[in-house]
Amino acid sequence: MIEAWWNDTLIARSDDTVVVEGNHYFPADAVDASILKPSDTTSVCPWKGIAHYYSLAVGDAENRDAAWYYPDPKPDAESIRGRIAFWKGVKVG
């Protein structure tokens, strides 16, 4: 079972993650949606497509753009469709 923790809070847990470039992509339904806050931030990966971001909000703390996902990944990255990955101090393991 892989878990993601931030600010002493379990934010995701699944035994069905997809690892791409060292990042675990969790199924969206394995992530605590109550801590995800939509962001306007996007970035471009040449082979995965356009990433969109969420900020994490736990208690009074916010971790801006600490989660990302690809709503319409390119064909080579289809395995991460509907999945969310984390960075910026989120502990995954």
Side-chain angles (χ1 to χ4, degrees):
M1 189 68 66
I2 303 297
E3 297 178 338
W5 289 81
W6 183 70
N7 206 26
D8 295 323
T9 301
L10 178 65
I11 59 175
R13 173 187 279 162
S14 179
D15 60 2
D16 176 31
T17 64
V18 173
V19 180
V20 176
E21 297 178 332
N23 297 299
H24 284 270
Y25 284 78
F26 290 80
D29 63 1
V31 178
D32 181 355
S34 72
I35 58 101
L36 299 176
K37 305 301 174 201
S39 170
D40 291 331
T41 302
T42 60
S43 63
V44 177
C45 172
W47 75 273
K48 291 186 296 249
I50 299 173
H52 293 249
Y53 292 79
Y54 291 112
S55 295
L56 306 179
V58 174
D60 292 335
E62 182 175 302
N63 193 346
R64 184 149 175 71
D65 297 336
W68 75 93
Y69 64 100
Y70 290 85
D72 189 25
K74 290 185 175 183
D76 286 346
E78 187 61 35
S79 65
I80 60 173
R81 181 183 298 274
R83 294 176 177 270
I84 300 172
F86 302 97
W87 66 327
K88 291 190 171 184
V90 175
K91 292 180 176 65
V92 177

